[in-house]
């Protein structure tokens, strides 16, 4: 008994642990999907912001607006021949950040009517959109436009103070984000966005990621607009169990990797990765299900103690009853019938009838199995009310039943079986507002030998043959036979 309960407990614990492992995996996958959607949504916002500036510049250029008035600009030439151009604050400005940008170029940018100065005054129209985004977006560190004419517009303005015109060729144009953009044919740039990083920003001492997009004016490629954000801000919405890979290759074998992050048809090299080694799975299980597992373990131990104190006889009786009865109708099943048959008393006659409901498959197909189950219950209940308690009425399987009656007066079975057949045919059944009837066919065999009854297989076989004949003859009838003669009994 102790060993059996211990085995049961081990099995139950195993099932619960398996369930919790699966549940933990589902939870983890849900978090993974949520994190994926969060970071992809954030990427979408950043893509939109850059594309909005690109579109705005293309529209401004198509309007042929005049160059910015020199009176609204400040030109400063430093000792190292760096020209710094900024916008003077006026009462027309709605926001303080509107002037928070700076242009850095060589000294030609500060010389009147030079090609470079005119380019700066033409391109500086991008600045209001840059300052608005840099001023409103908390996670944007800086926005900077790098012109092919070798000047830079930055927002906030302090980022331009570290730039030296003589370093444009050697440092600025060789940076990875510029190399990525400039390596693509101009015809293919369109509204593509290039992602570089994460990499360490020396001035901030933090990891940043750069988003780059080409800027066109009058359908001419003018330069590259770049946006830096902190890597920690991009990944802040993902669960700490996951990380983002930007290697462009799949993560190590065993880890779960998402498809590449994308937005509006633009794919990136970024992938969301969930470490999925055995140690990681154990960590997830403890994190997601520790309280549940502890609760189940305590509950199982207590339940095991309670089960151990129950009387084995009560348990065995319950199991024996369940194994001998049909759960739907409550009738004996074949096993229960065979067990009851061992204790049958001696009588002059024994009649065994197989009952099969006609066209029952049509009932299930037309009205559904729940209605079919109700039909079985109603039919068996009606028959049980018509037979004696000592008669053996049982379910063979499906819509097939058996009925064994013992009596001492000849041909009594015909009257009983005919009344059963008539009652079944007249019994109404319902599916919603629809009423219908079900008939039965039967094959009945009579014998006077108790030994033949106890060896029931031959009786069942002959009754089944008569049942088949009744079906062929038109159904809704019972055919009778004598086991000794093999000839049908006339009604």
């Amino acid at each position: 008994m102790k060993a059996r309960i211990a085995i049961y407990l081990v099995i139950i614990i195993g099932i619960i642990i398996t369930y919790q492992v699966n549940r933990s995996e589902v939870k983890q996958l849900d978090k993974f999907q949520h994190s994926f959607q969060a970071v992809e949504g954030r990427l979408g916002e950043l893509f939109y912001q850059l594309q909005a500036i690109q579109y705005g510049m293309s529209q401004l250029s198509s309007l042929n607006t005049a160059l910015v008035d020199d009176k609204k600009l400040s030109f400063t030439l430093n000792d190292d021949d760096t020209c710094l151009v900024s916008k003077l604050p006026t009462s027309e400005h709605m926001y303080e950040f509107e002037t928070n940008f700076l242009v850095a170029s060589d000294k030609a940018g500060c010389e009147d009517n030079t090609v470079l100065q005119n380019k700066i005054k033409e391109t500086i129209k991008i600045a209001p959109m840059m300052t608005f985004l840099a001023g409103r977006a908390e996670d944007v560190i800086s926005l900077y436009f790098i012109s092919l004419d070798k000047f830079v517009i930055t927002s906030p303005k302090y980022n331009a103070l570290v730039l030296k015109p003589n370093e444009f060729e050697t440092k600025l144009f060789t940076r990875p984000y510029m190399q990525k953009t400039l390596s693509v044919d101009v015809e293919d740039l369109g509204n593509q966005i290039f992602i570089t990083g994460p990499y360490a920003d020396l001035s901030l001492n933090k990891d940043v990621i750069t988003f780059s997009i080409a800027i066109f004016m009058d359908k001419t490629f003018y330069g590259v607009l770049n946006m830096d954000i902190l890597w920690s801000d991009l990944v802040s919405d993902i669960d700490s169990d996951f990380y983002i890979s930007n290697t462009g290759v799949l993560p190590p074998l065993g880890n779960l990797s998402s498809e590449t992050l994308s937005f509006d048809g633009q794919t990136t090299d970024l992938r969301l990765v969930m470490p999925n080694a055995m140690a990681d799975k154990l960590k997830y299980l403890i994190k997601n299900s520790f309280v549940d597992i502890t609760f189940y373990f305590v509950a199982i131990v207590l339940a095991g103690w309670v089960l151990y104190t129950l009387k084995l006889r009560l348990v065995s009786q319950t199991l024996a009853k369940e194994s001998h009865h049909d759960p739907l109708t409550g009738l004996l099943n074949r096993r229960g019938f065979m067990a009851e048959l061992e204790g049958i008393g001696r009588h002059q006659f024994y009649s065994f009838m197989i009952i099969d409901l006609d066209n029952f498959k049509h009932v299930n197909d037309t009205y559904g199995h729940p209605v079919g189950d109700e039909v079985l219950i109603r039919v068996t209940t009606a028959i049980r009310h018509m037979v004696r308690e000592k008669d053996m009425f049982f379910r063979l399987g499906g819509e097939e039943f058996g009925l064994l009656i013992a009596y001492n007066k000849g041909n009594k079975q015909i009257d009983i079986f005919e009344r059963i057949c008539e009652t079944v045919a007249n019994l109404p059944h319902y599916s919603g507002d629809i009423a219908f009837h079900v008939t039965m066919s039967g094959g009945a065999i009579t014998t006077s030998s108790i030994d033949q009854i106890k060896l029931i297989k031959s009786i069942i076989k002959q009754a089944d043959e008569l049942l088949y004949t009744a079906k062929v003859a038109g159904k809704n009838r019972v055919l009778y036979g004598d086991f000794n003669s093999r000839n049908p009994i006339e009604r």
Side-chain angles (χ1 to χ4, degrees), residues 67-83:
L67 300 180
V68 177
D69 188 354
D70 289 352
K71 296 179 181 179
K72 295 182 179 181
L73 299 176
S74 170
F75 295 87
T76 303
L77 183 62
N78 291 340
D79 295 337
D80 60 357
D81 290 337
T82 301
C83 176

Side-chain angles (χ1 to χ4, degrees), residues 326-332 373 376-377 380-381 384 395 401:
D326 172 53
L328 178 64
T329 62
L331 299 177
L332 290 171
D373 290 343
L376 294 176
I377 294 171
T380 55
T381 301
R384 288 172 75 171
R395 187 179 184 185
F401 302 88

Side-chain angles (χ1 to χ4, degrees), residues 311-331:
K311 294 181 180 179
L312 285 177
R313 183 175 299 176
L314 179 61
V315 176
S316 62
Q317 287 176 351
T318 302
L319 292 175
K321 182 178 180 180
E322 291 177 352
S323 66
H324 285 180
H325 287 78
D326 172 53
L328 178 64
T329 62
L331 299 177

Side-chain angles (χ1 to χ4, degrees), residues 373-426:
D373 290 343
E374 287 296 323
V375 170
L376 294 176
I377 294 171
R378 284 177 59 80
V379 168
T380 55
T381 301
I383 295 176
R384 288 172 75 171
H385 289 158
M386 300 178 66
V387 298
R388 301 165 299 181
E389 188 175 347
K390 66 179 182 179
D391 296 331
M392 298 183 190
F393 182 35
F394 66 100
R395 187 179 184 185
L396 280 167
E399 67 271 20
E400 198 170 57
F401 302 88
L403 175 60
L404 175 63
I405 61 174
Y407 53 96
N408 296 312
K409 181 180 179 181
N411 289 340
K412 181 178 181 181
Q413 82 284 12
I414 294 178
D415 179 57
I416 296 173
F417 294 162
E418 288 299 319
R419 284 192 290 113
I420 289 174
C421 185
E422 182 181 356
T423 299
V424 170
N426 293 328

Side-chain angles (χ1 to χ4, degrees), residues 245-467:
S245 169
N246 192 24
T247 61
V249 298
L250 291 175
L253 188 65
N255 289 351
L256 180 65
S257 172
S258 72
E259 58 188 14
T260 55
L261 292 165
S262 63
F263 183 79
D264 201 21
Q266 295 201 40
T267 59
T268 70
D269 290 334
L270 301 177
R271 293 177 184 271
L272 187 64
V273 180
M274 178 173 71
N276 210 33
M278 188 59 67
D280 298 309
K281 291 181 179 180
L282 181 60
K283 181 185 74 173
Y284 303 150
L285 177 63
I286 294 174
K287 182 177 179 180
N288 295 328
S289 305
F290 178 75
V291 174
D292 289 345
I293 291 176
T294 302
F295 172 79
Y296 285 133
F297 179 77
V298 173
I300 289 169
V301 171
L302 292 175
W305 178 79
V306 172
L307 287 174
Y308 182 70
T309 60
L310 293 176
K311 294 181 180 179
L312 285 177
R313 183 175 299 176
L314 179 61
V315 176
S316 62
Q317 287 176 351
T318 302
L319 292 175
K321 182 178 180 180
E322 291 177 352
S323 66
H324 285 180
H325 287 78
D326 172 53
L328 178 64
T329 62
L331 299 177
L332 290 171
N333 56 22
R334 185 187 288 266
R335 178 185 295 177
F337 170 69
M338 297 302 292
E340 293 288 328
L341 195 59
E342 293 296 323
I344 192 171
R346 289 188 175 274
H347 292 78
Q348 188 173 354
F349 300 104
Y350 305 90
S351 287
F352 176 80
M353 176 172 64
I354 292 182
I355 300 169
D356 187 85
L357 300 186
D358 298 327
N359 303 317
F360 192 71
K361 183 177 183 301
H362 175 74
V363 173
N364 281 331
D365 293 344
T366 303
Y367 305 111
H369 288 277
V371 173
D373 290 343
E374 287 296 323
V375 170
L376 294 176
I377 294 171
R378 284 177 59 80
V379 168
T380 55
T381 301
I383 295 176
R384 288 172 75 171
H385 289 158
M386 300 178 66
V387 298
R388 301 165 299 181
E389 188 175 347
K390 66 179 182 179
D391 296 331
M392 298 183 190
F393 182 35
F394 66 100
R395 187 179 184 185
L396 280 167
E399 67 271 20
E400 198 170 57
F401 302 88
L403 175 60
L404 175 63
I405 61 174
Y407 53 96
N408 296 312
K409 181 180 179 181
N411 289 340
K412 181 178 181 181
Q413 82 284 12
I414 294 178
D415 179 57
I416 296 173
F417 294 162
E418 288 299 319
R419 284 192 290 113
I420 289 174
C421 185
E422 182 181 356
T423 299
V424 170
N426 293 328
L427 184 65
H429 305 282
Y430 302 93
S431 175
D433 296 332
I434 301 173
F436 62 95
H437 291 76
V438 174
T439 61
M440 59 156 276
S441 298
I445 292 293
T446 300
T447 182
S448 58
S449 170
I450 191 173
D451 295 327
Q452 290 174 345
I453 282 296
K454 288 187 176 182
L455 299 173
I456 194 68
K457 288 185 179 180
S458 296
I459 299 287
I460 292 177
K461 181 179 178 182
Q462 288 194 25
D464 197 48
E465 292 172 355
L466 286 173
L467 171 64

